[in-house]
Amino acid sequence: MRNVPVLPARRDHTRRGWLRGAPPPWWVKVLPVLLIAGVCVAALVSPSPLDIGFLLGAIPPLAVLSYSPWATAFLGGAVIAVLVVPEFQLNRPGNTDLLTIVFVAVLSVFVSYVRSRRDAQLDLERTVAEAAQRAVLPPLPERVGAVRCAGLYRAAQQGTLVGGDFFDVREGPYGVRAVLGDVQGHGLSAIATVASLLGAFREAVLDQPDLESVAARLDRRLVADSASSRYAELFATAVLLEFSVDARSVRLVSCGHPAPLLLRGRQATEIELAAWTPLGLGLPAGGTPAGLTLRLEPGHSLFLSSDGVSEARDADGSFYPLTDRLAALTDTDPAVLADRVWADLVRYCPAVVDDVTMLVLTPASPDAG
C-alpha cells in the first residue's frame, strides 16, 4: 500500500459565513459598545480635549449590522448624549458636527428596521426551502433492514441542501434496495430531475421484482420527463443495489456510473461491474442492464460515491486518488468513513466545485439491534 501524504487542514468552504446570511460574529455586536466606552474613557483621562468625537459617528452604522431598530436608536441616543455632556468636551466647534451625527443615527434606525424585516423574510424563505429540499432527500437512517447506512451530501451550489446528486436506501418486499446517482447538471436546476428519479425509485422498490426492472423504471421516468422538457434530453448515471434478506449477498446494476468499492479491512477494491447506458437514454435494443451478484463476508462494506469525489483535482490538476486514500482512511466503524473522506477531500482539493455524495453500506452483525 502506498503512503498517503498528510496535508494541512483547510477551512471548509461550504460553511455559511455571516456575510452569506449567518448571524454576525460576537465581536460585531460588541464593537459599538466598546467603541463608545473607549471614547468616553479616553476623553475623561486625557488632560486636554481630544479630537476623537468623529469616531462616535461610526457607532449607529455599526449597530445596524446586528442590533434591532430599538437597540440602534438607544445606541444613537447614547452617542448624542456623550457629545453634549460637557465633561467629555467632544462637541467643541470645528471638531464634531452634532447635527450630522443626529441625522446618521436616525437614518441608521430606519436601515436597521428595513434589515430586520428583510432578515425575517429571508429566514422564513430559508426554512421553507430547507423543508422542501429535505422532503426530496430526507436524512438517511442509520440502519435499513439488515444494512447499516452512512451517507454524506454536499451540494456544489452554496445555500442549498440538494443538488444534482441523489441517494436513497429503502426496504421493500424484495429486500433492501439502494441507489446513488448523478443527474445532468447540478444545483437548483437539477432538483426537479432528482425528485422525479427518487419518486420513481421509491415506487419501484415496492412493486418491481428484480433490480433490472427498477433500473428500467427509472430510465422510463427520465425518457418521459425529457419529452416534456425544454432541454433536448435528460439523463443521469446511477448504481443500484439489492441486498439479500441477511445482507450476505448483494446484486449490483450500473447505469453509466462508476462501480462501488469493496472495503475489506484496509483494502479497497473496485468491483468489476459492467456499466449499462445512463438513465434517460432509453433501453438498448433487446436488452436490459447486466447485473452482478457479490458475496459479502463479515467486515465487508461497500463505498459508493459520485464523480464529485473521484474527479476532484488538487492544485496541480491531479485527480483525487480515492482508492488509495480509502485504504488509509478506513476505520473499524464504517459510519465515520464518509466524514473522513470528505475532510480529506477538502484538504486535497483547492476548491470542490461539484456536488459530492458518498454512501457506505455495511451488513449489520447478527447480534445488532
Side-chain angles (χ1 to χ4, degrees), residues 53-91:
F54 69 93
L55 295 175
L56 297 176
I59 292 176
L62 286 174
V64 169
L65 296 175
S66 55
Y67 284 94
S68 67
W70 286 109
T72 302
F74 175 80
L75 287 173
V79 168
I80 296 171
V82 169
L83 285 173
V84 299
V85 170
E87 287 76 8
F88 294 118
Q89 303 184 63
L90 294 175
N91 193 38

Side-chain angles (χ1 to χ4, degrees), residues 31 35 43 106 147 161 249 298 302 308 321:
L31 187 58
L35 185 58
V106 173
V147 180
L161 300 178
S249 67
L302 294 171

